[in-house]
Amino acid sequence: MAVVCRPARIDDLARADEIVVASINELTQRRGVGKMASSQPLSFQAFSLADDPAGLWVADDDGEIVGFAWSWVCGELWFLAQLFVAPDRQSDGIGNQLISKTFAHAEARGTSLKALITFTFNNVSQGLYIRHGLFPRCPIYMVSVPRDRLASRLAGPRLHLEPLAAPAPRFEDLVPIDISALGVSRAKHHRYLLGDSTTNGFTIHAGRECEGYVYISDGHIGPLAVRRLDLVGPAFAAALSFAARSDVPIISAFVPGTSEPALKVAIDHGMHLKFPMLLMSDRQFGDWARYLPRNPGFM
């Protein structure tokens, strides 16, 4: 039987995640980086499936899932969170079938902007995305540091963090920050993060004014966004100070290559560049000097 691309169901997500992990590890091992991926909670995939089922697809070969594609939409932005095919099926044209389904999702939602984040060394996928009109925009670096090493380099933060918590989170502060930094509102994704028991959300303040926000989960910082470029470094430093109070062994973040202040703070605090990612889109958007993504799927 031919491979059929069908809408994903909730009970497909675990098998889809196995394919994602296997595909990433096959790529990174082939590139000499070693295994990088491991199974993670599927809460954001499940949230996206409930929010917009048309954004998640599986490639089904007679009952066996051999590929997975997942996209989400916020306003005019369509974002391809994942598109992976089982390592032993990557020459069968399944990726093209899946990407056709995801682009149909973008068209059906009437979006005017398409974007994704992929591995810099994944040249095959980049060629596929370029053929579909998405071009490289800026590198994004995974950075990390042992918490004990970070703690010895911390100074008193210039900015302070205030908990962003239910039942009355200050969404009125967050929407204009996202629109300023990214060009779109991500209110539904803030609601998702605030409902995640493993994640702490904060507004970032200089005096009484709310200048940005940040989320921190198990030592990982992001997303982080601020209103002004001169606040990026102090905001990231304040997030590092908070993360260092935990008992996790590693503190990490994703930092765009265009964000010189955040990269400088990372290096000054002993963080190492672990591996490069790449933002691709069909046009320039946002100010990526003022926004640190959560991960390649969430953005």
Side-chain angles (χ1 to χ4, degrees):
M1 295 178 65
V3 173
V4 175
C5 290
R6 61 167 176 80
R9 301 185 291 261
I10 190 69
D11 56 357
D12 295 325
L13 296 183
R15 171 56 184 156
D17 186 60
E18 291 176 0
I19 291 173
V20 170
V21 170
S23 183
I24 291 174
N25 285 335
E26 188 278 332
L27 171 67
T28 57
Q29 286 182 292
R30 179 159 36 92
R31 294 295 185 176
V33 181
K35 290 185 178 180
M36 295 176 51
S38 59
S39 293
Q40 301 293 326
L42 303 174
S43 53
F44 189 46
Q45 291 92 322
F47 170 86
S48 297
L49 182 64
D51 175 68
D52 187 359
L56 290 87
W57 293 82
V58 295
D60 189 321
D61 186 0
D62 195 20
E64 179 186 4
I65 296 175
V66 295
F68 176 61
W70 162 30
S71 56
W72 50 258
V73 170
C74 280
E76 68 170 344
L77 171 64
W78 171 91
F79 189 83
L80 182 59
Q82 291 181 341
L83 194 156
F84 290 98
V85 176
D88 62 341
R89 302 297 300 272
Q90 292 179 0
S91 60
D92 294 352
I94 296 170
N96 282 313
Q97 294 182 56
L98 286 170
I99 203 168
S100 294
K101 294 295 186 182
T102 61
F103 273 96
H105 176 230
E107 183 176 356
R109 295 294 178 268
T111 59
S112 62
L113 171 63
K114 302 181 184 70
L116 59 90
I117 296 172
T118 187
F119 289 101
T120 299
F121 46 75
N122 193 352
N123 55 304
V124 174
S125 290
Q126 287 177 48
L128 173 66
Y129 299 138
I130 289 171
R131 287 196 295 275
H132 284 83
L134 282 76
F135 293 89
R137 302 298 175 185
C138 80
I140 297 175
Y141 298 99
M142 174 72 169
V143 298
S144 67
V145 62
R147 181 180 58 84
D148 292 345
R149 184 180 179 190
L150 171 64
S152 66
R153 293 169 179 252
L154 293 172
R158 286 173 43 197
L159 305 180
H160 67 277
L161 308 182
E162 295 184 2
L164 179 62
R170 297 173 59 181
F171 287 111
E172 70 275 10
D173 290 333
L174 306 183
V175 169
I177 295 169
D178 280 330
I179 292 174
S180 171
L182 294 172
V184 296
S185 167
R186 298 191 69 184
K188 68 180 181 182
H189 290 160
H190 288 291
R191 293 188 179 93
Y192 161 76
L193 289 173
L194 290 170
D196 180 3
S197 62
T198 68
T199 301
N200 294 305
F202 304 90
T203 47
I204 302 170
H205 294 262
R208 294 184 177 181
E209 295 299 319
C210 175
E211 301 290 0
Y213 68 79
V214 64
Y215 292 88
I216 303 173
S217 176
D218 294 327
H220 182 74
I221 296 166
L224 180 154
V226 292
R227 296 180 186 273
R228 307 196 320 259
L229 181 61
D230 63 299
L231 297 174
V232 175
F236 189 28
L240 288 171
S241 293
F242 182 90
R245 300 176 200 165
S246 68
D247 58 0
V248 298
I250 301 293
I251 307 300
S252 60
F254 284 95
V255 180
T258 53
S259 187
E260 295 180 13
L263 281 174
K264 185 176 187 309
V265 166
I267 298 304
D268 287 348
H269 285 77
M271 305 186 88
H272 290 167
L273 277 63
K274 305 302 289 186
F275 60 87
M277 307 294 290
L278 183 66
L279 173 69
M280 302 182 72
S281 63
D282 60 355
R283 62 176 170 85
Q284 295 280 4
F285 76 104
D287 182 354
W288 287 77
R290 295 190 287 121
Y291 183 82
L292 278 59
R294 178 178 174 86
N295 57 46
F298 187 92
M299 196 188 86

